[in-house]
Amino acid sequence: MSSRFARRIPATREGRPRLLFLHGFLEDHRIWEPACTVLAGEFELILVDLPGFGRSPMPQEEEGPLRIESVAVSLLDWLEEEGAAENLFLIGHSLGGYIALALAELLGAELQGLCLFHSTAFADSPEKQHMRDKVCTFLEKQGVAAFLRGFVPSLFAQGQRDLLQGRIQTLIAHGSQTPTAVALAYTKAMRARPDRREVLARMPHSLLIAGQEDPAISEEDSRAQESLVTRFVL
């Protein structure tokens, strides 16, 4: 997908893996910029806007419902066009983690490893699928901006929300630019994705970063994946 938007930051040191950052639902590449100020120079950094988010358009050639797998295929095609598919380490937040796992399945042994950041290799449970259905109904009736006003604050620890109010409002403003059709398509794609614990377990290097107060992924589910990764941080 040659029209994909990406920010690439070259490395000043050779021999290190290039890091590909995949943002979460209703986010864009800017979510990673604070972290990249720390990593810049040590690694080549690639921050992409996933199709439909930020400055990357939705693919017009998509046939049928959007799938996590089709997003991964388009991302791999783009990486190969850019000459950036080798020596790659994936870092995915939430939705970005689901796409990272699908991309890892495509890359196989060529991949250096991956990090799931507040994400999971589990498929949606029936309860989670029901919640996705409720999100779709809300989006259809109220739109993205109204959804984000309730959703984004819940992603921050209760005791930190006042302190981080500026950050919360920025995320709401950025995400509100996403068309409702895009939000609906990805919500349904997340609902339909398969379990990819076997993919995670095959990674030569893997990291799962979870949160005890994460409202989207329970501590129990995160701990259930601890044995699948080489490092687990809660």
Side-chain angles (χ1 to χ4, degrees):
M1 185 182 303
S2 59
S3 61
R4 181 185 301 276
F5 174 81
R7 180 183 174 197
R8 297 185 66 169
I9 305 171
T12 56
R13 299 178 61 180
E14 296 182 359
R16 297 291 187 92
R18 56 170 54 96
L19 308 184
L20 175 65
F21 292 85
L22 303 174
H23 61 78
F25 182 56
L26 298 175
E27 297 172 353
D28 60 36
H29 77 280
R30 290 172 289 186
I31 194 74
W32 297 110
E33 287 179 343
C36 288
T37 61
V38 178
L39 297 169
E42 291 292 314
F43 305 90
E44 179 185 351
L45 310 178
I46 307 175
L47 290 68
V48 300
D49 284 346
L50 294 169
F53 297 109
R55 293 161 62 182
S56 288
M58 282 288 276
Q60 297 300 312
E61 69 275 11
E62 186 73 33
E63 295 182 3
L66 180 78
R67 297 180 300 118
I68 296 297
E69 295 76 17
S70 64
V71 176
V73 168
S74 73
L75 185 56
L76 179 56
D77 289 344
W78 178 83
L79 288 167
E80 290 175 341
E81 289 175 10
E82 293 288 310
E86 297 179 353
N87 199 26
L88 196 63
F89 191 100
L90 308 177
I91 303 171
H93 173 228
S94 188
L95 164 65
Y98 310 152
I99 295 169
L101 285 164
L103 182 55
E105 197 166 28
L106 296 172
L107 286 165
E110 297 179 18
L111 186 64
Q112 294 293 315
L114 67 81
C115 167
L116 297 182
F117 184 76
H118 290 264
S119 191
T120 179
F122 282 110
D124 275 0
S125 65
E127 294 78 15
K128 188 74 170 183
Q129 290 180 337
H130 179 65
M131 184 275 291
R132 304 273 192 208
D133 291 339
K134 291 176 66 176
V135 168
C136 287
T137 299
F138 186 95
L139 287 167
E140 288 170 342
K141 292 181 177 180
Q142 304 291 334
V144 172
F147 172 75
L148 285 170
R149 285 193 290 272
F151 175 66
V152 173
S154 73
L155 301 179
F156 290 76
Q158 181 70 45
Q160 297 295 312
R161 291 177 192 173
D162 289 342
L163 178 65
L164 298 172
Q165 191 58 223
R167 184 65 174 154
I168 289 170
Q169 293 306 315
T170 296
L171 291 172
I172 291 172
H174 289 173
S176 295
Q177 299 171 20
T178 307
T180 299
V182 172
L184 285 167
Y186 274 96
T187 302
K188 293 172 183 177
M190 290 188 287
R191 185 189 189 281
R193 76 186 192 283
D195 186 293
R196 285 196 165 90
R197 279 174 287 174
E198 290 187 7
V199 176
L200 182 60
R202 292 198 300 267
M203 289 295 99
H205 304 287
S206 55
L207 168 64
L208 193 153
I209 300 174
Q212 292 178 316
E213 297 185 53
D214 188 338
I217 301 169
S218 69
E219 181 179 344
E220 180 183 7
D221 278 1
S222 294
R223 289 192 181 278
Q225 298 169 90
E226 184 173 1
S227 64
L228 304 178
V229 297
T230 52
R231 188 176 181 191
F232 177 80
V233 178
L234 180 67

